[in-house]
Amino acid sequence: MILFAGIPSEPPLRLAIEAAETLGVAHVVLNQRQAEHVDIAIETGPDGLEGSIWIGGAEYPIGGLAGIYARPVDADSLPELGAGGSAGPDQAAALRLRATLEILNELLDVAPCPVVNRPSAMASNMSKPFQAQMIRRAGLLIPETLVTNRAEDLLGFHREHRRIIYKSISAVRSIVREWTPSDGRDASAVGTVPTQFQAFVPGTNVRVHVVGETCFATEIHSEAVDYRYGDREGRSTTMQPIELPAEVEAICIRLTRDLGLILSGIDLKRTPDGQWYCFEVNPSPAYSYFQELAGQPISEAIVRMLSDRKQDGSRNGSDRRKSC
Amino acid sequence: MMDLLLLGDRRDRLLGAVARHFRENRPDVPLRSCRLEDLASARWSYRLGNSEAASRVILADGHALTERPSLVLNRLRFEPGLLFTAMTPVDRDYARTEFLALVMSWLAGLEAVMVNRPTALGLAGPALRPWQWLGAAHEAGLAPYPGRAGNSARRLASGANEPGWASRGDLLRILANPAMAYVGANRPYALAPSCEETVRIDIIGGEPAASRAVDTRTLEACRNLARSVSADILSVILGKPAGEGWHFLSADPAPAEMAGPALHRLCDWLAARL
């Protein structure tokens, strides 16, 4: 049995639940918005750590789960804790929501079955340049990067690379934008807080979703600097599945595994001269956008991975811990 | 001769003890200190590319932080309340998050001999959550100290009042919120049996101190734990439930202080790396 945890209507989780239903894979859904009906317990035992989840009164021992796909949201993001929400003025309910999330995260990190993805494994994404060092060690190229709060360094970097972009250093979502000295944004503005700049890498965006040992590569064509926000700029985006070069595919699979992940969304760019640059490994990818636009069967792959079954019915390898 | 760079808060007792030890016993070793706030107010130029990582950090006093090769004892803790206090709340929160990401990357790639290099889980080494520690300890060969936690006491077979068991707040951090007292009977909980005896094992540079109180197998398991989480320094607390042997209670890669033989061992180990 697979456990799905998070907001079931959120597209990545919704698609995976639908895939489990279509494939006839036994599953149970932990709806974070109905935490009052969810109990979670964890304890030490003779063979390590043990735990159970109760959903609507039914108990599901963690040791009996085949796999978990979890996309929990921060408790403060839940509508229930907002003004007018069902837990609005009820501090006890709000605390219980937060406690449920805390203990769920603990459980996700120690559960013996494969977990997509363990919270501790997702932490590298907190710092893009921190993660970039791991990407470089894995064998992919990274953009030349400068983090600075010195205007003279920014101007020098621009002179060196001619086209540069800026983005957040952390996991805070930002729109990637190009910077030039002449576009009205004063270089001295970086003096407030160090900002990340990168040399613009020309070429074609390729998004790779890795599920265990399987890659789904999608080529993206967009006129926008950041294709994710092309619509805002009135720029269209099209996608198509492609095959990666074997070496690049192998690196993506190895990088995902080395980061402790089962599922990843890797942002690549193929330059006109055939080099491959990597910008980020997303540990909680919203793959639904690519599945729906490019027809990639990612949700099915997730369910097969977690249910330990390949398309031919044989077993997958799995990330199983020895204890819990 | 390398200098010793101490990264951490001025009130950090362990850093203070290390500094005093070196001043008294190794006055030949130049000492430098730097706090998180100093880094936040510095002028930064941090380059990362396919062939190199290079940084130039100019502190407010005009000195460059990484002028010379250094041995770095890193005990930085992310304390956002100290940083960017003059900004508006929205800008301040963003700046703090961005700054943490920068320091994490900078330290991880700094070309220096570093003790407690950051991991994805902590700025000064592996800062695991409590049940992660229990799981890691079990995999390393240590018996986890008995304990249980949950979001609802209604699932406890005997309620929240099992004889000999008491609240252990470090197993579920939200219990530290004073408002938890008003949650009611169906409250989150974290419980453990009372502990008759505890011992601390300091692992420095991968080696635990010899201990007459703890058997060789358990010391070896402590060493395995430090290695498994890539901790240069790890203080492991073991406890004995009634009538049983040593069990793993908790671990900390940045213990608040060390004294006596442990401090000397740490300083000797640091000196050997200069």
Side-chain angles (χ1 to χ4, degrees):
Chain A
M1 174 174 291
I2 295 175
L3 170 70
F4 294 106
I7 312 297
S9 58
E10 198 217 356
L13 207 59
R14 175 177 56 80
L15 287 177
I17 294 170
E18 289 172 359
E21 289 167 353
T22 301
L23 293 170
V25 172
H27 60 279
V28 62
V29 179
L30 186 163
N31 187 341
Q32 209 177 338
R33 297 189 62 183
Q34 296 176 356
E36 66 271 21
H37 303 299
V38 174
D39 293 336
I40 305 174
I42 186 170
E43 63 181 317
T44 56
D47 299 317
L49 303 182
E50 301 166 354
S52 282
I53 295 178
W54 289 262
I55 300 174
E59 181 181 1
Y60 302 95
I62 295 302
L65 293 175
I68 301 173
Y69 181 29
R71 288 181 59 90
V73 302
D74 188 84
D76 291 326
S77 303
L78 292 172
E80 284 69 24
L81 293 187
S86 63
D90 186 342
Q91 194 174 32
L95 284 170
R96 197 164 179 285
L97 270 174
R98 292 192 173 92
T100 300
L101 180 61
E102 181 180 338
I103 202 146
L104 174 63
N105 280 328
E106 292 279 5
L107 203 63
L108 291 174
D109 262 328
V110 299
C113 60
V115 177
V116 176
N117 281 315
R118 298 189 191 275
S120 57
M122 297 198 283
S124 73
N125 195 240
M126 280 177 50
S127 168
K128 293 189 179 74
F130 176 89
Q131 192 189 67
Q133 296 176 60
M134 304 170 81
I135 292 169
R136 184 181 61 187
R137 283 195 292 271
L140 288 168
L141 295 172
I142 59 174
E144 294 298 312
T145 300
L146 168 70
V147 181
T148 190
N149 55 1
R150 293 159 52 98
E152 58 269 43
D153 287 351
L154 167 57
L155 292 168
F157 192 69
H158 181 264
R159 282 193 298 273
E160 182 182 348
H161 294 288
R162 302 305 180 110
R163 286 190 73 185
I164 63 175
I165 58 94
Y166 63 97
K167 60 169 69 169
S168 60
I169 311 170
S170 67
V172 172
R173 184 170 267 257
S174 66
I175 301 173
V176 178
R177 295 194 195 280
E178 192 164 348
W179 185 87
T180 70
S182 58
D183 69 2
R185 282 166 289 180
D186 190 353
S188 63
V190 299
T192 308
V193 64
T195 304
Q196 177 173 233
F197 298 88
Q198 291 182 329
F200 178 79
V201 177
T204 305
N205 286 297
V206 176
R207 168 73 165 231
V208 179
H209 289 96
V210 177
V211 183
E213 300 287 312
T214 306
C215 275
F216 299 93
T218 303
E219 191 172 273
I220 303 143
H221 294 278
S222 176
E223 295 166 344
V225 172
D226 190 336
Y227 68 85
R228 299 171 301 171
Y229 302 98
D231 287 348
R232 294 189 194 183
E233 301 173 22
R235 300 176 190 273
S236 62
T237 299
T238 59
M239 298 188 183
Q240 66 183 52
I242 62 167
E243 292 288 325
L244 289 174
E247 184 189 352
V248 176
E249 179 172 300
I251 291 174
C252 288
I253 292 171
R254 186 172 67 242
L255 177 59
T256 299
R257 186 174 58 239
D258 289 348
L259 288 170
L261 304 171
I262 293 177
L263 169 69
S264 71
I266 302 178
D267 290 327
L268 302 179
K269 214 169 205 183
R270 185 184 65 239
T271 64
D273 58 357
Q275 292 187 312
W276 289 85
Y277 281 77
C278 178
F279 298 93
E280 181 183 356
V281 179
N282 187 329
S284 187
Y287 68 87
S288 47
Y289 179 55
F290 302 87
Q291 174 158 324
E292 288 171 341
L293 281 187
Q296 301 276 32
I298 300 165
S299 58
E300 180 182 318
I302 293 170
V303 171
R304 289 189 186 280
M305 160 59 70
L306 293 175
S307 64
D308 212 24
R309 295 288 173 194
K310 295 181 182 175
Q311 281 186 299
D312 64 3
S314 60
R315 287 187 178 274
N316 281 323
S318 59
D319 140 60
R320 285 191 176 270
R321 289 183 186 263
K322 286 180 274 188
S323 67
C324 185
Chain B
M1 166 65 72
M2 287 198 291
D3 56 351
L4 175 57
L5 174 61
L6 305 174
L7 290 179
D9 193 84
R10 189 167 289 148
R11 295 160 296 178
D12 187 313
R13 292 194 293 271
L14 189 146
L15 286 182
V18 168
R20 279 191 299 277
H21 177 95
F22 271 83
R23 278 192 219 104
E24 291 166 12
N25 298 282
R26 289 296 301 272
D28 59 308
V29 176
L31 292 179
R32 289 187 297 158
S33 297
C34 187
R35 307 166 304 165
L36 193 67
E37 309 94 282
D38 299 329
L39 294 173
S41 61
R43 311 307 291 167
W44 283 84
S45 180
Y46 174 55
R47 293 286 299 255
L48 184 65
N50 293 293
S51 57
E52 64 162 3
S55 60
R56 188 160 175 80
V57 183
I58 311 294
L59 301 175
D61 63 6
H63 286 102
L65 185 61
T66 50
E67 279 175 332
R68 296 155 60 178
S70 293
L71 170 62
V72 181
L73 176 55
N74 172 34
R75 286 175 57 86
L76 287 175
R77 288 187 188 271
F78 181 60
E79 296 186 50
L82 299 173
L83 310 175
F84 308 111
T85 52
M87 290 186 180
T88 62
V90 171
D91 289 345
R92 183 180 64 210
D93 290 345
Y94 177 72
R96 286 168 177 170
T97 304
E98 291 287 281
F99 177 67
L100 172 61
L102 167 60
V103 173
M104 192 174 158
S105 180
W106 170 66
L107 283 175
L110 197 60
E111 282 198 21
V113 178
M114 186 176 301
V115 179
N116 290 358
R117 199 171 284 273
T119 69
L121 299 176
L123 204 53
L128 276 60
R129 280 197 298 277
W131 289 89
Q132 277 183 282
W133 277 119
L134 289 168
H138 175 75
E139 293 192 13
L142 292 165
Y145 197 89
R148 53 177 70 116
N151 68 331
S152 177
R154 65 186 168 191
R155 293 297 172 187
L156 286 173
S158 53
N161 300 313
E162 185 162 345
W165 286 59
S167 182
R168 195 180 145 190
D170 63 310
L171 290 181
L172 193 62
R173 292 168 181 171
I174 198 169
L175 293 178
N177 187 322
M180 288 301 299
Y182 304 100
V183 172
N186 190 23
R187 66 178 67 182
Y189 65 91
L191 303 168
S194 56
C195 187
E196 294 197 329
E197 186 182 350
T198 61
V199 68
R200 171 172 155 173
I201 304 294
D202 288 311
I203 298 129
I204 296 168
E207 292 302 322
S211 169
R212 272 179 262 178
V214 177
D215 60 277
T216 307
R217 191 200 69 79
T218 301
L219 286 179
E220 181 63 27
C222 290
R223 179 196 284 125
N224 292 342
L225 176 61
R227 187 182 309 129
S228 73
V229 298
S230 303
D232 297 312
I233 299 171
L234 191 68
S235 285
V236 178
I237 307 297
L238 304 174
K240 280 187 178 180
E244 298 191 43
W246 293 113
H247 286 61
F248 172 87
L249 267 169
S250 64
D252 190 348
E257 52 194 339
M258 279 184 188
L263 177 63
H264 287 296
R265 245 185 357 115
L266 172 62
C267 292
D268 288 346
W269 181 70
L270 290 170
R273 270 146 191 78
L274 288 167

